[in-house]
Amino acid sequence: MKEGPDIAQIGSLIGDPARANILTALMGGRALTATELAAAAGVTLQTASAHLSKLEAGGLLAQRKQGRHRYFTLADDRVGKLLEGIMGFAASRGHLRHRPGPKEPALRKARICYDHLAGDYGVRMLDSLIEAGSIFAVGEGLSLTAIGEKHLGSIGIDVSGLRSSRRPLCRSCLDWSERRAHLAGSLGKALLSNFLDKGWARRTENSRSIFFTPEGERRFLALFPLELSDGARQPEASQPGLTNTP
Amino acid sequence: MKEGPDIAQIGSLIGDPARANILTALMGGRALTATELAAAAGVTLQTASAHLSKLEAGGLLAQRKQGRHRYFTLADDRVGKLLEGIMGFAASRGHLRHRPGPKEPALRKARICYDHLAGDYGVRMLDSLIEAGSIFAVGEGLSLTAIGEKHLGSIGIDVSGLRSSRRPLCRSCLDWSERRAHLAGSLGKALLSNFLDKGWARRTENSRSIFFTPEGERRFLALFPLELSDGARQPEASQPGLTNTP
DNA sequence: TTCATACTTCGATCGTAACCGAACCATCTC
DNA sequence: GAGATGGTTCGGTTACGATCGAAGTATGAA
């Protein structure tokens, strides 16, 4: 016993329902105030304050004072990835919260996962990019190709600018609703920002779901077509000479 | 609030120190009885029994009755991956258990991670395989090459047999002590089994650490050489035309 | 059958931590 | 300055869950 890092500490941080609600709310990516988080968690401000202190001490949250407000975010994208990983696991065990609520379908269709697009649309986007040869996939690894750089450049994504950041360009993130990978990393973030900037979609209040306008939806689907039928989708692309599929 | 899967439930399962000890012990990969796990967790048998019921109900554990014994294991390798992910996160935040114990160095050198080799030696093995062209890496994705299949076949790994299993052949797993990737998946498992079978190394009682014999260590290091100096190691291999590095 | 071992269930205790009311600071507006 | 809003700290209550002793069930050994 007592081997390795202390998983119990962060487990218990995530294990409290109020704190889990706070973390889930912050998965939306935007910075929220203590008051907003208290409402999200369903507790009073005092209680939320105590939770927020613990989460920050545990390294899960970062805060930034702005006037008399105190804005909280997830500490970094590693926290987001960790939480999405746990969500994926929980979803696979059927531990959905009680019963699917009315907002559930919208959430499954398109939602924000920390800072990038997830849900059916997120998965579709990655599938389409792989099919088009824009992204090269090996197992769980993703890499932008020269074709992809040109392709995305044409819709206004400055790849070379993204590459200067410390953060990996492409990262695969397991989608809890689709149980398949979608695109994360700085490129995933840039793509979602691009859609929001163009007005194709907008964020909804108090929810992680992303609402596409009819026009935006049309354009999105045109930009990311899928040739294969749904049943035949192959998430793990391979190449001659490479053998990774189970 | 109340969006998405219930992360609080599994958070609280992992969040109890006794249960965390049980899970950590089971990361060793071997099936353990309730009595053994009670000892590992530092609680009485009754208490452990209650914990084990909860963990099983939560889908983290699988049990198998054998005579009057009841053997527990992690439910599957996804649980192992989840736990290793949390460990990696916890280690990165400096949440090591209190202070490094006497067993810590051995654990950092070579240990078992569910069913494959981790620690310095695990990371070295993967680095060497990539350098030798046996494994092709793109970001976090790993793939066995034709060269690698021949190479590993020569030391007694039956790759085609492994490929028939449902489980992915190659998978990268983040090492909490080295903070870099090591090889998991059915190939990772087969390699460790191979070393143990050959007597190069053996498992230690009541610990996840792996002990290499002097002869085994010599052979292991010869089989997996490293050309690059330690400082210049490049975890994310790339290929002309592929651009994934930050 | 009898005894021992492995484990579970029951019942009671006990500690901790989540919770909120109230009071207290800090920052902004007027 | 006074008042309002955002947030923290303090104190006391409460409830849940971890814990163990004791008794009960199942399996194997003699």
Side-chain angles (χ1 to χ4, degrees):
Chain A
M1 58 172 163
K2 291 232 175 197
E3 287 194 345
D6 190 359
I7 59 173
Q9 201 211 340
I10 67 169
S12 72
L13 282 175
I14 300 172
D16 178 80
R19 284 194 291 263
N21 284 335
I22 288 173
L23 292 169
T24 304
L26 288 174
M27 280 286 282
R30 42 165 68 119
L32 297 173
T33 65
T35 309
E36 289 169 324
L37 289 170
V43 293
T44 62
L45 186 55
Q46 312 92 288
T47 308
S49 180
H51 286 311
L52 290 169
S53 299
K54 288 183 186 177
L55 287 170
E56 198 194 355
L60 296 180
L61 258 47
Q63 64 159 302
R64 158 168 57 96
K65 281 186 77 166
Q66 207 167 91
R68 54 184 163 182
H69 293 277
R70 194 159 283 224
Y71 284 95
F72 291 86
T73 55
L74 298 185
D76 55 36
D77 62 328
R78 297 193 52 208
V79 179
K81 199 182 175 195
L82 175 74
L83 293 176
E84 188 77 7
I86 298 176
M87 281 188 184
F89 183 84
S92 76
R93 305 285 132 155
H95 295 322
L96 287 175
R97 274 182 191 280
H98 314 298
R99 38 206 82 257
K103 293 185 298 189
E104 191 89 5
L107 218 57
R108 286 180 180 273
K109 180 178 173 190
R111 67 175 177 279
I112 192 167
C113 170
Y114 186 48
D115 60 6
H116 54 270
L117 185 64
D120 181 31
Y121 274 34
V123 170
R124 178 198 173 103
M125 182 172 78
L126 178 57
D127 285 345
S128 176
L129 286 168
I130 291 172
E131 263 184 29
S134 292
I135 285 187
F136 177 64
V138 172
E140 299 168 314
L142 302 177
S143 198
L144 187 65
T145 64
I147 297 173
E149 182 154 357
K150 192 177 292 182
H151 178 203
L152 295 179
S154 73
I155 64 169
I157 307 271
D158 170 27
V159 174
S160 57
L162 296 176
R163 198 172 277 120
S164 63
S165 99
R166 268 190 314 106
R167 199 173 159 195
L169 194 59
C170 297
R171 212 181 187 98
S172 92
C173 182
L174 190 64
D175 199 288
W176 60 258
S177 55
E178 297 290 313
R179 308 265 300 266
R180 300 194 28 248
H182 60 246
L183 179 65
S186 61
L187 186 59
K189 174 180 180 173
L191 278 162
L192 176 58
S193 302
N194 189 267
F195 306 149
L196 297 174
D197 289 346
K198 283 181 184 160
W200 290 9
R202 59 173 179 270
R203 313 200 38 183
T204 50
E205 279 304 314
N206 302 323
S207 171
R208 291 171 60 201
S209 64
I210 300 268
F211 173 77
F212 273 79
T213 65
E215 172 68 7
E217 184 153 339
R218 208 181 52 73
R219 295 204 179 218
F220 177 89
L221 296 175
L223 187 59
F224 301 109
L226 273 187
E227 306 233 337
L228 279 64
S229 70
D230 276 24
R233 281 197 232 166
Q234 254 298 60
E236 313 211 14
S238 60
Q239 226 202 8
L242 302 178
T243 53
N244 188 43
T245 39
Chain B
M1 58 173 163
K2 291 228 175 201
E3 287 193 345
D6 191 359
I7 58 172
Q9 201 211 340
I10 67 169
S12 72
L13 282 176
I14 299 172
D16 178 82
R19 285 194 291 262
N21 285 335
I22 288 174
L23 292 169
T24 304
L26 289 174
M27 280 285 283
R30 41 164 68 117
L32 297 173
T33 66
T35 308
E36 290 169 322
L37 288 170
V43 293
T44 62
L45 186 56
Q46 311 93 287
T47 307
S49 179
H51 286 311
L52 291 168
S53 299
K54 288 183 186 179
L55 287 170
E56 198 194 355
L60 296 180
L61 258 48
Q63 64 160 300
R64 159 169 57 95
K65 283 186 77 166
Q66 208 167 91
R68 55 184 162 178
H69 293 277
R70 193 159 282 224
Y71 284 95
F72 291 86
T73 55
L74 298 186
D76 55 36
D77 62 329
R78 297 193 53 208
V79 179
K81 199 183 176 195
L82 175 74
L83 294 176
E84 187 77 5
I86 298 176
M87 282 188 183
F89 183 84
S92 76
R93 305 284 132 157
H95 295 321
L96 287 174
R97 273 181 192 282
H98 313 298
R99 39 205 85 259
K103 293 185 298 189
E104 191 89 7
L107 216 58
R108 286 179 180 275
K109 180 178 173 188
R111 67 175 177 279
I112 193 167
C113 170
Y114 186 46
D115 60 6
H116 53 271
L117 184 64
D120 180 31
Y121 274 34
V123 170
R124 178 196 173 104
M125 183 172 76
L126 177 57
D127 284 345
S128 177
L129 286 168
I130 291 173
E131 263 184 29
S134 292
I135 284 187
F136 177 65
V138 172
E140 298 168 313
L142 301 177
S143 197
L144 186 65
T145 64
I147 298 173
E149 182 154 357
K150 191 178 293 180
H151 178 203
L152 295 179
S154 73
I155 64 168
I157 307 272
D158 171 27
V159 173
S160 57
L162 296 176
R163 199 173 277 119
S164 64
S165 97
R166 268 189 315 103
R167 199 173 159 194
L169 194 60
C170 297
R171 210 180 189 99
S172 92
C173 183
L174 190 63
D175 199 288
W176 59 258
S177 55
E178 296 290 311
R179 308 266 299 267
R180 300 194 29 248
H182 60 246
L183 179 65
S186 61
L187 186 60
K189 174 178 179 174
L191 277 162
L192 176 58
S193 302
N194 188 268
F195 306 149
L196 297 174
D197 289 346
K198 283 181 184 159
W200 290 8
R202 59 173 179 272
R203 312 200 39 183
T204 49
E205 278 305 313
N206 302 323
S207 171
R208 292 171 61 202
S209 63
I210 300 267
F211 173 77
F212 273 79
T213 65
E215 172 68 5
E217 184 154 337
R218 209 180 53 73
R219 296 204 178 218
F220 178 89
L221 296 176
L223 187 58
F224 301 109
L226 272 188
E227 307 233 335
L228 280 63
S229 70
D230 275 24
R233 283 196 229 166
Q234 254 299 61
E236 312 211 16
S238 60
Q239 225 202 8
L242 301 179
T243 52
N244 188 43
T245 39

